[in-house]
Amino acid sequence: MAKRPPVDRRQFLAGSAGAMGAAFFRGAPLDALASQIALPESQVWDAGQVRHLLPTVSESRILLKVSFERALSDTPTLRIGARSFPGRMNDTRGSFWQFSATGLDAGTTHSLSLVAANGSSLCEPWSLSTFPPAEARPDRFRLLFFTCAGGPEGTYAGIGQRRGNLPTVIRNRLLRRALSFNPDAAVANGDHIYWDLHRWSGQLTGALSPRAESSNFDFAGSVFGTSNEAALILAAGPQIVPVYGTDFRSTPVFFLQDDHDHWENDAAGAFPVAWFQLQLARATQQLYYPEFLPEANRPMGLPWSSSSDRGDLSESFGTIRYGNLAEVLLYDVRRTMTLGPTAVFVDSNVEEWLLSRTTSPGVRHVIHAPSNPMGWSAGKWGEWYPDILDSDARRLTTAVPKAFWQEGWLRQHDRLVDAMSGMRARSPLVVSGDLHAIGAARMHRAGTLDLAANPVTTVLSGPVGTSPGGFPSVVRGVGSSPPSHLDLDESVPPIEEHGFTLVDFLPDRMVLSLFRWDVKSQPVGAIDDLQPFYTTELSTP
Ligand SMILES: [Fe+2]
């Protein structure tokens, strides 16, 4: 390929991620931030025509989502060794493509390259490893978790001087610090974008939001091939493309969707989501981040989660299977949550899959990653729990009914934690998203269920992009709290700071490492030296 000089970090930021930031930063602070961003490898890897690249893998497959600087009129190709896999255009202009490679050797580091139709390289080759086969016995697997990395970027001019969601360069820095610990894969658990189409509070609740007005979507039109497509890309692109760029090219990602990924906040009546917003959610995923690859123990027909024209991918239910060491069950509750006498969070077929995998032997650690948190409530409508904010007392209560909340959601919660706790040969663990906090606790009781013999550890993974107003204590006047349904032993009561979580899976234990960074008191440079502020080991009997 025509080799470009190493990426000039300042030019790169000014031209893409930092274009808006440059205006806000007015030069000097941006330079200071940008010059300190730690990811030496990206300075020597030539991204060429690639604007963003997010891969996922299984033991035998790779799926890439890629956007290019310029639209490609002819089909590009992914080359892995001697094999070639043609791209598939994901938008209607040729700027967004996906590449699906099958029949790969498991547990192998593959060399990948993207090539244009005329044979020229679109970026420098790079490496990506498939997971070990299901019967392998790896001795270690490190998984990164984070949540809420979306939001149009805000401004930062020093400690105490910030507005809106974190600037992209600070999100880059947090994610790069996380990547510096060399995780084998990453779970981005929900809320990759914030562009809610309806107001969720105040007198105009339910009316179009200012963002919806500016996007001017045709709610009765198709997403692709209309002005809706351009509006989607304008709204979602700046929240995803520069946040990840190509930093995760060698780290498989698992992106779960949550409320905001359906272009709506979690507020009474927002779900089941309107048809057009479901299509927006699907289109966002199609363009920007990979769906979930199939896995032998997950049924192919789980509802509300596939678009038939894109094959055997699931949009909402995923599995990370790493030999016999770890199985992570990923599930978005928003697609299948229902109301009424038979209400559930996840469809009965999804629950059956979760219960079956939770109670099956053969994998050392089986953990849950739901899009909605277990263990805490922020008083929001679409939670497992009935707790709601008593604004006078500034605390959560169950004395006031939460309108349109469903008892069936909580019953399903109890069936899931009962199954987790019942597997006495394992340490039950839930790592969730959505809540803008970092936390860890052990659940000893859920309603009438006594879980004390094998308590369920639950973790809030930590948010990456949250705005000051996004933290629960600001938006609702009370922080995330244990619901009355639970006996919760909080080793880390929810902390409203930015952060992330690493889980190390080892044959005899899991090690949790929680990271925090306080935008209100710590300089940006402290991100580069973050160490876990809390570590705990979950040993297995
Ligand atoms: Fe959420």
Side-chain angles (χ1 to χ4, degrees), residues 56-74:
T56 196
V57 309
S58 64
E59 66 174 66
S60 62
R61 290 174 61 162
I62 287 174
L63 173 64
L64 306 180
K65 298 287 174 137
V66 186
S67 64
F68 295 101
E69 297 286 354
R70 282 187 286 278
L72 303 175
S73 52
D74 297 312

Side-chain angles (χ1 to χ4, degrees), residues 122-445:
L122 291 162
C123 61
E124 202 174 326
W126 78 103
S127 62
L128 181 65
S129 298
T130 43
F131 287 156
E135 67 278 9
R137 297 175 171 274
D139 56 12
R140 190 180 193 88
F141 174 52
R142 172 169 285 180
L143 188 54
L144 163 67
F145 289 89
F146 59 89
T147 186
C148 307
E153 70 172 345
T155 63
Y156 177 88
I159 292 171
Q161 300 177 62
R162 76 137 174 163
R163 286 173 48 202
N165 294 80
L166 285 186
T168 302
V169 288
I170 299 182
R171 287 182 239 184
N172 293 151
R173 206 150 165 169
L174 281 164
L175 292 172
R176 288 169 189 180
R177 182 57 181 163
L179 287 173
S180 74
F181 293 94
N182 295 314
D184 298 295
V187 175
N189 195 341
D191 299 336
H192 317 298
I193 62 162
Y194 289 81
W195 202 265
D196 304 341
L197 296 189
H198 297 93
R199 296 171 189 259
W200 58 274
S201 65
Q203 286 195 326
L204 294 174
T205 295
L208 284 183
S209 67
R211 284 173 177 170
E213 300 274 10
S214 70
S215 288
N216 195 27
F217 284 118
D218 172 8
F219 283 68
S222 62
V223 173
F224 286 109
T226 68
S227 62
N228 287 335
E229 180 178 339
L232 181 157
I233 289 168
L234 279 172
Q239 304 185 49
I240 299 174
V241 168
V243 170
Y244 303 99
T246 58
D247 289 351
F248 285 73
R249 63 187 176 276
S250 297
T251 308
V253 296
F254 295 80
F255 273 54
L256 266 172
Q257 294 192 317
D258 197 41
D259 50 346
H260 297 284
D261 303 304
H262 294 85
W263 300 64
E264 207 64 276
N265 189 25
D266 169 1
F271 292 86
V273 77
W275 175 256
F276 179 71
Q277 289 173 243
L278 177 59
Q279 305 319 310
L280 282 182
R282 291 182 149 152
T284 315
Q285 190 176 39
Q286 176 172 326
L287 292 177
Y288 292 103
Y289 46 89
E291 296 87 353
F292 301 110
L293 291 167
E295 192 266 342
N297 294 304
R298 196 181 72 242
M300 287 299 306
L302 293 179
W304 290 95
S305 72
S306 66
S307 293
S308 57
D309 65 334
R310 277 187 288 152
D312 53 3
L313 306 173
S314 175
E315 296 168 343
S316 308
F317 309 109
T319 314
I320 302 173
R321 176 69 190 258
Y322 201 84
N324 78 340
L325 184 60
E327 183 167 331
V328 183
L329 307 170
L330 304 134
Y331 47 105
D332 164 14
V333 307
R334 307 291 184 179
R335 289 275 175 99
T336 60
M337 62 195 290
T338 56
L339 310 178
T342 58
V344 287
F345 248 17
V346 291
D347 180 272
S348 61
N349 291 286
V350 178
E351 180 181 337
E352 202 166 301
W353 161 61
L354 295 172
L355 293 176
S356 165
R357 293 313 301 154
T358 301
T359 56
S360 292
V363 186
R364 197 69 200 95
H365 307 286
V366 176
I367 76 165
H368 285 230
S371 67
N372 203 265
M374 289 181 171
W376 290 274
S377 168
K380 303 200 303 184
W381 169 66
E383 296 178 340
W384 302 97
Y385 311 108
D387 306 64
I388 190 171
L389 177 65
D390 178 342
S391 40
D392 292 337
R394 294 174 69 85
R395 61 179 178 78
L396 299 183
T397 179
T398 53
V400 179
K402 192 192 273 189
F404 303 110
W405 179 83
Q406 305 293 311
E407 183 77 32
W409 302 345
L410 186 58
R411 286 201 294 271
Q412 196 165 46
H413 166 284
D414 286 355
R415 293 193 293 274
L416 291 171
V417 297
D418 193 23
M420 289 182 227
S421 176
M423 287 302 284
R424 297 295 157 82
R426 293 190 186 123
S427 260
L429 173 64
V430 182
V431 186
S432 50
D434 181 55
L435 259 188
H436 301 267
I438 314 151
R442 305 191 94 192
M443 193 188 296
H444 291 268
R445 177 188 64 86

